[in-house]
Amino acid sequence: MGLVDLYDRWTRFTLRMRGVASRFAPTPSGGPLHLYDARGQGDLSPVVLLHGIASSAAPLAPVLTRIRPHVRRVLVPEAPGHG
C-alpha cells in the first residue's frame, strides 16, 4: 500500500466522520459509480465537484468542506478506474 492509498483511506474516513455519505450509484452501463454525497446547510443550488484525470475525489475534500455551509448539497463522483 502506497502513500496515495493511505491518503485516500484517511480522507474517506474523515469525510464519513463529518457526515458525508460514501455510496455507489447505478449507471446505464451497469457498473456502479462511487460518489460522496454531503447535505449542505445553505440556500445555494447543489454542486457537483469533478476530479481531474489520474486523480480521485480525495483531493477535493477541503473544497467540499468549505462550500458545504453555503449549498444545499455537494456531490463528488469518482470516475471509473479512479479513487
Side-chain angles (χ1 to χ4, degrees):
M1 180 181 308
L3 288 177
V4 173
D5 293 329
L6 288 174
Y7 174 72
D8 283 345
R9 284 181 177 211
W10 176 254
T11 302
R12 285 187 180 124
F13 173 76
T14 57
L15 286 174
R16 284 194 307 265
M17 295 305 294
R18 293 179 178 167
V20 176
S22 173
R23 63 185 182 90
F24 289 88
T27 63
S29 65
L33 176 71
H34 179 253
L35 61 93
Y36 293 103
D37 188 351
R39 293 194 183 274
Q41 295 89 26
D43 295 328
L44 297 176
S45 297
V47 173
V48 176
L49 301 175
L50 301 174
H51 66 77
I53 295 174
S55 184
S56 69
L60 295 173
V63 177
L64 183 153
T65 303
R66 299 261 333 231
I67 65 173
R68 197 172 175 193
H70 307 286
V71 299
R72 289 190 299 252
R73 186 176 184 190
V74 182
L75 295 169
V76 187
E78 293 194 297
H82 301 275

Coordinates of all heavy atoms in Angstrom, one line a residue:
M1 N 0.8 -1.2 0.0 CA 0.0 0.0 0.0 C 0.9 1.2 0.0 O 1.8 1.4 0.8 CB -0.9 0.0 1.2 CG -1.8 1.2 1.3 SD -2.9 1.2 2.7 CE -3.7 -0.4 2.7
G2 N 0.7 2.1 -1.0 CA 1.5 3.3 -1.1 C 0.9 4.5 -0.3 O -0.2 4.4 0.3
L3 N 1.6 5.6 -0.4 CA 1.1 6.8 0.4 C -0.2 7.4 -0.2 O -1.0 7.9 0.5 CB 2.2 7.9 0.3 CG 3.5 7.7 1.1 CD1 4.5 8.7 0.9 CD2 3.1 7.6 2.6
V4 N -0.4 7.2 -1.5 CA -1.6 7.7 -2.1 C -2.8 6.9 -1.6 O -3.8 7.5 -1.2 CB -1.5 7.7 -3.6 CG1 -2.9 8.0 -4.3 CG2 -0.5 8.6 -4.2
D5 N -2.6 5.6 -1.5 CA -3.7 4.8 -0.9 C -4.0 5.1 0.5 O -5.2 5.2 0.9 CB -3.3 3.3 -1.0 CG -3.2 2.8 -2.4 OD1 -3.9 3.3 -3.3 OD2 -2.4 1.9 -2.6
L6 N -3.0 5.4 1.3 CA -3.2 5.8 2.7 C -3.9 7.1 2.8 O -4.8 7.3 3.6 CB -1.9 5.8 3.5 CG -1.2 4.5 3.8 CD1 0.2 4.7 4.4 CD2 -2.1 3.7 4.7
Y7 N -3.5 8.0 1.9 CA -4.2 9.4 1.9 C -5.7 9.2 1.5 O -6.5 9.8 2.2 CB -3.5 10.3 0.9 CG -4.1 11.6 0.7 CD1 -4.1 12.6 1.7 CD2 -4.8 11.9 -0.5 CE1 -4.7 13.8 1.5 CE2 -5.4 13.1 -0.7 CZ -5.4 14.0 0.3 OH -6.0 15.2 0.1
D8 N -6.0 8.4 0.5 CA -7.4 8.2 0.1 C -8.2 7.6 1.2 O -9.3 8.0 1.5 CB -7.4 7.3 -1.1 CG -7.1 8.1 -2.4 OD1 -7.1 9.4 -2.4 OD2 -6.8 7.5 -3.4
R9 N -7.6 6.6 1.9 CA -8.3 5.9 3.0 C -8.6 6.9 4.2 O -9.6 6.9 4.7 CB -7.5 4.7 3.5 CG -7.7 3.5 2.6 CD -6.9 2.4 3.1 NE -7.1 1.2 2.3 CZ -7.1 0.0 2.7 NH1 -6.9 -0.3 4.0 NH2 -7.2 -1.0 1.8
W10 N -7.6 7.7 4.5 CA -7.7 8.6 5.6 C -8.8 9.7 5.3 O -9.6 10.0 6.1 CB -6.4 9.3 5.9 CG -6.5 10.4 7.0 CD1 -6.5 11.7 6.8 CD2 -6.8 10.1 8.3 NE1 -6.7 12.3 8.0 CE2 -6.8 11.4 8.9 CE3 -6.9 9.0 9.1 CZ2 -7.1 11.6 10.3 CZ3 -7.1 9.2 10.5 CH2 -7.2 10.5 11.1
T11 N -8.8 10.1 4.0 CA -9.7 11.1 3.6 C -11.1 10.5 3.6 O -12.1 11.2 4.1 CB -9.4 11.6 2.2 OG1 -8.1 12.2 2.2 CG2 -10.4 12.7 1.7
R12 N -11.3 9.3 3.2 CA -12.6 8.7 3.2 C -13.1 8.6 4.7 O -14.3 8.9 5.0 CB -12.6 7.3 2.6 CG -12.6 7.3 1.1 CD -12.7 5.9 0.5 NE -12.6 6.0 -0.9 CZ -11.8 5.4 -1.7 NH1 -10.9 4.5 -1.1 NH2 -11.8 5.5 -3.0
F13 N -12.2 8.2 5.6 CA -12.6 8.1 7.0 C -13.0 9.4 7.6 O -14.0 9.5 8.2 CB -11.4 7.5 7.8 CG -11.6 7.5 9.2 CD1 -12.4 6.5 9.8 CD2 -11.0 8.4 10.0 CE1 -12.6 6.5 11.2 CE2 -11.2 8.5 11.4 CZ -12.0 7.5 12.0
T14 N -12.2 10.5 7.3 CA -12.5 11.8 7.9 C -13.8 12.3 7.3 O -14.6 13.0 8.0 CB -11.4 12.8 7.7 OG1 -11.1 12.9 6.3 CG2 -10.2 12.3 8.5
L15 N -14.1 12.1 6.0 CA -15.3 12.6 5.4 C -16.5 11.9 6.0 O -17.5 12.5 6.3 CB -15.3 12.4 3.9 CG -14.4 13.3 3.1 CD1 -14.4 12.9 1.6 CD2 -14.9 14.8 3.2
R16 N -16.4 10.6 6.2 CA -17.5 9.8 6.9 C -17.8 10.3 8.3 O -18.9 10.4 8.7 CB -17.2 8.3 6.8 CG -17.5 7.7 5.5 CD -17.5 6.2 5.5 NE -16.4 5.6 6.2 CZ -15.3 5.2 5.5 NH1 -15.2 5.2 4.2 NH2 -14.3 4.6 6.2
M17 N -16.7 10.6 9.0 CA -16.8 11.2 10.4 C -17.5 12.5 10.4 O -18.1 12.9 11.4 CB -15.5 11.2 11.0 CG -14.8 9.9 11.3 SD -15.8 8.7 12.2 CE -15.9 9.5 13.7
R18 N -17.4 13.3 9.3 CA -18.1 14.6 9.2 C -19.5 14.5 8.6 O -20.1 15.5 8.2 CB -17.2 15.5 8.3 CG -15.9 15.8 9.0 CD -15.1 16.7 8.1 NE -13.9 17.1 8.8 CZ -12.8 17.7 8.2 NH1 -12.9 18.0 7.0 NH2 -11.8 18.0 9.0
G19 N -20.0 13.3 8.4 CA -21.4 13.1 8.0 C -21.5 13.0 6.5 O -22.6 13.2 5.9
V20 N -20.4 12.8 5.7 CA -20.5 12.7 4.3 C -20.7 11.2 3.9 O -20.0 10.4 4.4 CB -19.2 13.2 3.6 CG1 -19.3 13.0 2.1 CG2 -19.0 14.7 4.0
A21 N -21.8 11.0 3.2 CA -22.1 9.6 2.8 C -21.2 9.2 1.6 O -20.9 9.9 0.7 CB -23.5 9.5 2.3
S22 N -20.7 7.9 1.7 CA -19.9 7.3 0.7 C -20.8 6.2 0.1 O -21.1 5.2 0.8 CB -18.6 6.8 1.2 OG -17.9 6.0 0.3
R23 N -21.2 6.3 -1.1 CA -22.1 5.3 -1.7 C -21.8 5.1 -3.1 O -21.0 5.7 -3.8 CB -23.6 5.8 -1.5 CG -23.9 7.0 -2.2 CD -25.4 7.5 -1.8 NE -25.8 8.7 -2.5 CZ -26.4 8.7 -3.7 NH1 -26.6 7.5 -4.3 NH2 -26.7 9.8 -4.3
F24 N -22.5 4.0 -3.6 CA -22.4 3.7 -5.0 C -23.7 3.9 -5.7 O -24.8 3.5 -5.2 CB -22.0 2.2 -5.2 CG -20.5 2.0 -4.8 CD1 -20.2 1.7 -3.5 CD2 -19.5 2.1 -5.7 CE1 -18.9 1.5 -3.1 CE2 -18.2 1.9 -5.4 CZ -17.9 1.6 -4.0
A25 N -23.7 4.5 -6.9 CA -24.9 4.8 -7.7 C -24.8 3.9 -8.9 O -23.8 3.8 -9.6 CB -25.0 6.3 -8.0
P26 N -26.0 3.4 -9.4 CA -26.0 2.6 -10.6 C -25.8 3.5 -11.8 O -26.2 4.7 -11.8 CB -27.4 1.9 -10.6 CG -28.2 2.8 -9.7 CD -27.3 3.4 -8.7
T27 N -25.3 3.0 -12.9 CA -25.1 3.7 -14.1 C -25.8 3.0 -15.3 O -26.0 1.8 -15.2 CB -23.6 4.0 -14.4 OG1 -23.0 2.7 -14.7 CG2 -22.9 4.7 -13.3
P28 N -26.1 3.7 -16.4 CA -26.7 3.0 -17.5 C -25.8 1.8 -18.1 O -26.4 0.8 -18.6 CB -26.8 4.1 -18.6 CG -26.8 5.3 -17.8 CD -26.0 5.1 -16.6
S29 N -24.5 1.9 -17.9 CA -23.7 0.8 -18.5 C -23.6 -0.4 -17.5 O -23.0 -1.4 -17.9 CB -22.2 1.4 -18.7 OG -21.7 1.7 -17.4
G30 N -24.2 -0.2 -16.3 CA -24.3 -1.4 -15.4 C -23.3 -1.4 -14.3 O -23.4 -2.1 -13.3
G31 N -22.2 -0.6 -14.5 CA -21.2 -0.6 -13.4 C -21.5 0.5 -12.4 O -22.0 1.5 -12.7
P32 N -21.3 0.2 -11.1 CA -21.6 1.2 -10.1 C -20.5 2.3 -10.1 O -19.4 2.2 -10.5 CB -21.4 0.4 -8.8 CG -20.5 -0.7 -9.1 CD -20.7 -1.0 -10.6
L33 N -21.0 3.5 -9.7 CA -20.2 4.7 -9.6 C -20.1 5.2 -8.2 O -21.1 5.4 -7.6 CB -20.8 5.8 -10.5 CG -20.1 7.2 -10.4 CD1 -18.7 7.1 -11.2 CD2 -20.9 8.3 -11.0
H34 N -18.8 5.2 -7.7 CA -18.7 5.7 -6.3 C -18.8 7.2 -6.2 O -18.3 7.9 -7.1 CB -17.3 5.2 -5.7 CG -17.1 5.7 -4.3 ND1 -16.2 6.7 -4.0 CD2 -17.6 5.3 -3.2 CE1 -16.3 7.0 -2.7 NE2 -17.1 6.1 -2.2
L35 N -19.5 7.7 -5.2 CA -19.6 9.1 -5.0 C -19.7 9.5 -3.5 O -20.1 8.6 -2.7 CB -20.7 9.7 -5.8 CG -22.1 9.3 -5.5 CD1 -22.8 10.2 -4.5 CD2 -22.9 9.3 -6.8
Y36 N -19.3 10.7 -3.2 CA -19.5 11.2 -1.9 C -20.7 12.2 -2.0 O -20.9 12.9 -3.0 CB -18.3 12.0 -1.4 CG -17.1 11.2 -1.2 CD1 -16.1 11.1 -2.1 CD2 -17.0 10.4 0.0 CE1 -15.0 10.3 -1.9 CE2 -15.9 9.6 0.2 CZ -14.9 9.6 -0.7 OH -13.8 8.7 -0.5
D37 N -21.6 12.1 -1.0 CA -22.9 12.8 -1.0 C -23.0 13.5 0.3 O -23.1 12.9 1.3 CB -24.0 11.8 -1.3 CG -25.4 12.5 -1.5 OD1 -25.4 13.8 -1.3 OD2 -26.3 11.8 -1.8
A38 N -22.9 14.8 0.3 CA -23.0 15.6 1.5 C -24.1 16.6 1.5 O -24.3 17.4 0.6 CB -21.7 16.4 1.7
R39 N -25.0 16.6 2.5 CA -26.0 17.6 2.7 C -25.4 18.8 3.1 O -24.5 18.8 4.0 CB -27.1 17.1 3.7 CG -27.9 16.0 3.2 CD -29.1 15.8 4.1 NE -29.9 14.6 3.7 CZ -30.8 14.6 2.7 NH1 -31.0 15.7 2.1 NH2 -31.4 13.5 2.4
G40 N -25.8 20.0 2.6 CA -25.3 21.2 3.0 C -26.2 21.9 3.9 O -27.3 21.4 4.2
Q41 N -25.8 23.1 4.4 CA -26.7 23.9 5.3 C -27.1 25.2 4.6 O -27.8 26.0 5.3 CB -25.9 24.2 6.6 CG -25.6 23.0 7.4 CD -24.2 22.4 7.0 OE1 -23.3 23.0 6.5 NE2 -24.1 21.1 7.3
G42 N -26.7 25.5 3.4 CA -27.0 26.8 2.8 C -28.2 26.7 1.9 O -28.9 25.7 1.7
D43 N -28.4 27.9 1.2 CA -29.5 28.0 0.3 C -29.1 28.0 -1.2 O -30.0 27.9 -2.1 CB -30.2 29.4 0.5 CG -30.8 29.5 1.9 OD1 -31.3 28.5 2.4 OD2 -30.8 30.6 2.5
L44 N -27.9 27.9 -1.5 CA -27.4 27.9 -2.9 C -27.7 26.5 -3.5 O -27.9 25.5 -2.8 CB -25.9 28.2 -3.0 CG -25.5 29.6 -2.5 CD1 -24.0 29.7 -2.6 CD2 -26.2 30.6 -3.4
S45 N -27.8 26.5 -4.8 CA -28.1 25.2 -5.5 C -27.0 24.1 -5.2 O -25.9 24.4 -4.9 CB -28.1 25.5 -7.1 OG -29.1 26.4 -7.4
P46 N -27.4 22.9 -5.4 CA -26.5 21.8 -5.3 C -25.3 21.9 -6.2 O -25.4 22.5 -7.3 CB -27.3 20.5 -5.6 CG -28.7 20.9 -5.4 CD -28.8 22.4 -5.7
V47 N -24.1 21.4 -5.8 CA -22.9 21.5 -6.5 C -22.3 20.1 -6.8 O -22.4 19.2 -5.9 CB -21.9 22.3 -5.7 CG1 -20.5 22.3 -6.4 CG2 -22.4 23.7 -5.5
V48 N -21.8 19.9 -8.0 CA -21.1 18.7 -8.3 C -19.6 19.0 -8.6 O -19.3 19.9 -9.4 CB -21.7 18.0 -9.6 CG1 -20.8 16.8 -10.0 CG2 -23.1 17.7 -9.4
L49 N -18.7 18.4 -7.8 CA -17.3 18.6 -8.0 C -16.7 17.4 -8.8 O -16.9 16.3 -8.4 CB -16.6 18.7 -6.6 CG -17.1 19.8 -5.7 CD1 -16.4 19.7 -4.3 CD2 -16.8 21.2 -6.3
L50 N -15.9 17.7 -9.8 CA -15.3 16.6 -10.6 C -13.8 16.7 -10.5 O -13.2 17.7 -10.6 CB -15.7 16.8 -12.1 CG -17.2 16.7 -12.4 CD1 -17.5 17.1 -13.8 CD2 -17.8 15.4 -12.0
H51 N -13.2 15.5 -10.2 CA -11.7 15.5 -10.1 C -11.1 15.4 -11.5 O -11.7 15.1 -12.5 CB -11.3 14.3 -9.2 CG -11.6 13.0 -9.8 ND1 -10.9 12.4 -10.8 CD2 -12.6 12.1 -9.5 CE1 -11.4 11.2 -11.0 NE2 -12.4 11.0 -10.3
G52 N -9.8 15.6 -11.5 CA -9.0 15.5 -12.8 C -8.6 14.1 -13.2 O -8.9 13.2 -12.4
I53 N -8.0 14.0 -14.3 CA -7.5 12.7 -14.8 C -6.4 12.2 -13.9 O -5.6 13.0 -13.4 CB -7.0 12.9 -16.2 CG1 -8.1 13.2 -17.2 CG2 -6.3 11.6 -16.7 CD1 -7.7 13.5 -18.6
A54 N -6.4 10.9 -13.7 CA -5.4 10.3 -12.8 C -5.5 10.7 -11.4 O -4.5 10.8 -10.7 CB -4.0 10.4 -13.4
S55 N -6.7 11.0 -10.9 CA -6.8 11.5 -9.5 C -8.0 10.8 -8.9 O -8.6 9.9 -9.5 CB -7.1 13.0 -9.6 OG -7.2 13.5 -8.2
S56 N -8.4 11.2 -7.8 CA -9.6 10.7 -7.1 C -10.3 11.8 -6.5 O -9.9 13.0 -6.6 CB -9.2 9.6 -6.0 OG -8.6 10.3 -5.0
A57 N -11.4 11.6 -5.8 CA -12.2 12.6 -5.1 C -11.5 13.1 -3.8 O -11.8 14.2 -3.3 CB -13.6 12.1 -4.8
A58 N -10.5 12.4 -3.3 CA -9.9 12.7 -2.0 C -9.3 14.2 -2.0 O -9.5 14.9 -1.1 CB -8.8 11.7 -1.7
P59 N -8.6 14.6 -3.1 CA -8.1 16.0 -3.0 C -9.1 17.1 -3.0 O -8.9 18.2 -2.7 CB -7.2 16.1 -4.3 CG -6.9 14.7 -4.6 CD -8.1 13.8 -4.2
L60 N -10.4 16.7 -3.3 CA -11.5 17.7 -3.3 C -12.1 17.8 -1.9 O -13.0 18.6 -1.7 CB -12.5 17.4 -4.3 CG -12.0 17.5 -5.8 CD1 -13.1 16.9 -6.8 CD2 -11.6 18.9 -6.1
A61 N -11.7 17.0 -0.9 CA -12.3 17.0 0.4 C -12.2 18.4 1.0 O -13.2 18.9 1.6 CB -11.6 16.0 1.3
P62 N -11.1 19.2 1.0 CA -11.1 20.5 1.5 C -12.1 21.5 0.9 O -12.8 22.3 1.6 CB -9.7 21.0 1.3 CG -8.9 19.8 1.2 CD -9.8 18.8 0.5
V63 N -12.3 21.3 -0.4 CA -13.3 22.2 -1.1 C -14.7 21.8 -0.7 O -15.5 22.7 -0.4 CB -13.1 22.0 -2.7 CG1 -14.2 22.8 -3.4 CG2 -11.7 22.4 -3.1
L64 N -15.0 20.5 -0.6 CA -16.3 20.0 -0.2 C -16.6 20.6 1.2 O -17.7 21.1 1.4 CB -16.3 18.5 -0.1 CG -17.6 17.8 0.2 CD1 -17.6 16.4 -0.4 CD2 -17.7 17.7 1.7
T65 N -15.6 20.5 2.1 CA -15.8 21.0 3.5 C -16.1 22.5 3.5 O -16.9 23.0 4.3 CB -14.6 20.7 4.3 OG1 -14.4 19.3 4.3 CG2 -14.8 21.1 5.8
R66 N -15.4 23.3 2.7 CA -15.5 24.8 2.7 C -16.8 25.2 2.1 O -17.4 26.3 2.5 CB -14.4 25.4 1.9 CG -13.0 25.1 2.5 CD -12.4 26.1 3.4 NE -12.8 27.5 3.2 CZ -11.9 28.5 3.0 NH1 -10.6 28.2 3.0 NH2 -12.3 29.7 2.9
I67 N -17.4 24.6 1.0 CA -18.6 25.0 0.4 C -19.9 24.5 1.0 O -20.9 25.0 0.8 CB -18.6 24.8 -1.1 CG1 -18.6 23.3 -1.5 CG2 -17.4 25.5 -1.8 CD1 -18.8 23.0 -2.9
R68 N -19.7 23.4 1.8 CA -20.9 22.8 2.4 C -21.8 23.7 3.2 O -23.0 23.6 3.1 CB -20.4 21.6 3.2 CG -21.4 20.6 3.6 CD -20.8 19.4 4.3 NE -21.8 18.5 4.7 CZ -21.6 17.5 5.6 NH1 -20.4 17.3 6.0 NH2 -22.6 16.8 5.9
P69 N -21.3 24.6 3.9 CA -22.2 25.5 4.7 C -23.0 26.5 3.8 O -24.0 27.0 4.2 CB -21.3 26.4 5.6 CG -20.0 25.6 5.6 CD -19.9 24.8 4.3
H70 N -22.7 26.6 2.5 CA -23.3 27.6 1.6 C -24.3 26.9 0.6 O -25.1 27.7 0.0 CB -22.2 28.3 0.9 CG -21.2 28.9 1.7 ND1 -21.5 30.0 2.5 CD2 -19.9 28.6 2.0 CE1 -20.4 30.3 3.2 NE2 -19.4 29.4 2.9
V71 N -24.2 25.6 0.4 CA -25.1 25.0 -0.6 C -26.0 24.0 0.1 O -25.8 23.6 1.2 CB -24.2 24.3 -1.7 CG1 -23.3 25.3 -2.4 CG2 -23.3 23.2 -1.1
R72 N -27.0 23.5 -0.7 CA -27.9 22.5 -0.2 C -27.4 21.1 -0.2 O -27.7 20.3 0.6 CB -29.2 22.6 -1.0 CG -30.1 23.8 -0.8 CD -31.4 23.7 -1.4 NE -31.4 23.6 -2.8 CZ -31.7 24.5 -3.7 NH1 -32.1 25.7 -3.3 NH2 -31.6 24.3 -5.0
R73 N -26.5 20.9 -1.2 CA -25.9 19.5 -1.4 C -24.7 19.6 -2.2 O -24.5 20.4 -3.1 CB -27.0 18.6 -2.1 CG -26.6 17.2 -2.2 CD -27.8 16.4 -2.8 NE -27.6 15.0 -2.8 CZ -28.4 14.2 -3.5 NH1 -29.4 14.7 -4.2 NH2 -28.1 12.9 -3.5
V74 N -23.7 18.6 -1.9 CA -22.5 18.5 -2.6 C -22.3 17.1 -3.0 O -22.4 16.2 -2.2 CB -21.2 19.0 -1.8 CG1 -20.0 18.9 -2.7 CG2 -21.4 20.4 -1.3
L75 N -22.1 16.8 -4.3 CA -21.8 15.5 -4.9 C -20.5 15.5 -5.5 O -20.1 16.4 -6.2 CB -22.9 15.1 -5.9 CG -24.3 15.0 -5.5 CD1 -25.2 14.9 -6.7 CD2 -24.4 13.8 -4.6
V76 N -19.7 14.5 -5.1 CA -18.3 14.3 -5.7 C -18.2 12.9 -6.2 O -17.9 12.0 -5.5 CB -17.3 14.6 -4.6 CG1 -15.9 14.6 -5.2 CG2 -17.5 15.9 -3.9
P77 N -18.5 12.7 -7.5 CA -18.3 11.3 -8.1 C -16.9 11.0 -8.4 O -16.1 11.9 -8.6 CB -19.1 11.4 -9.4 CG -19.1 12.8 -9.7 CD -19.0 13.6 -8.4
E78 N -16.5 9.8 -8.3 CA -15.2 9.3 -8.7 C -15.3 8.6 -10.1 O -16.1 7.6 -10.2 CB -14.6 8.4 -7.7 CG -14.3 9.1 -6.4 CD -13.4 8.3 -5.5 OE1 -13.8 7.2 -5.1 OE2 -12.3 8.8 -5.2
A79 N -14.6 9.0 -11.0 CA -14.6 8.4 -12.4 C -14.2 6.9 -12.3 O -13.4 6.6 -11.5 CB -13.7 9.2 -13.3
P80 N -14.8 6.1 -13.1 CA -14.5 4.7 -13.1 C -13.0 4.5 -13.3 O -12.4 5.1 -14.1 CB -15.3 4.1 -14.3 CG -16.4 5.0 -14.4 CD -15.9 6.4 -14.1
G81 N -12.4 3.6 -12.5 CA -11.0 3.3 -12.5 C -10.2 4.3 -11.7 O -8.9 4.2 -11.6
H82 N -10.8 5.2 -10.9 CA -10.1 6.1 -10.1 C -10.7 6.0 -8.7 O -11.8 5.5 -8.5 CB -10.3 7.6 -10.6 CG -9.8 7.8 -11.9 ND1 -8.5 8.1 -12.2 CD2 -10.4 7.7 -13.1 CE1 -8.3 8.2 -13.5 NE2 -9.5 8.0 -14.1
G83 N -9.9 6.5 -7.7 CA -10.5 6.5 -6.3 C -10.5 5.2 -5.6 O -10.3 4.2 -6.1

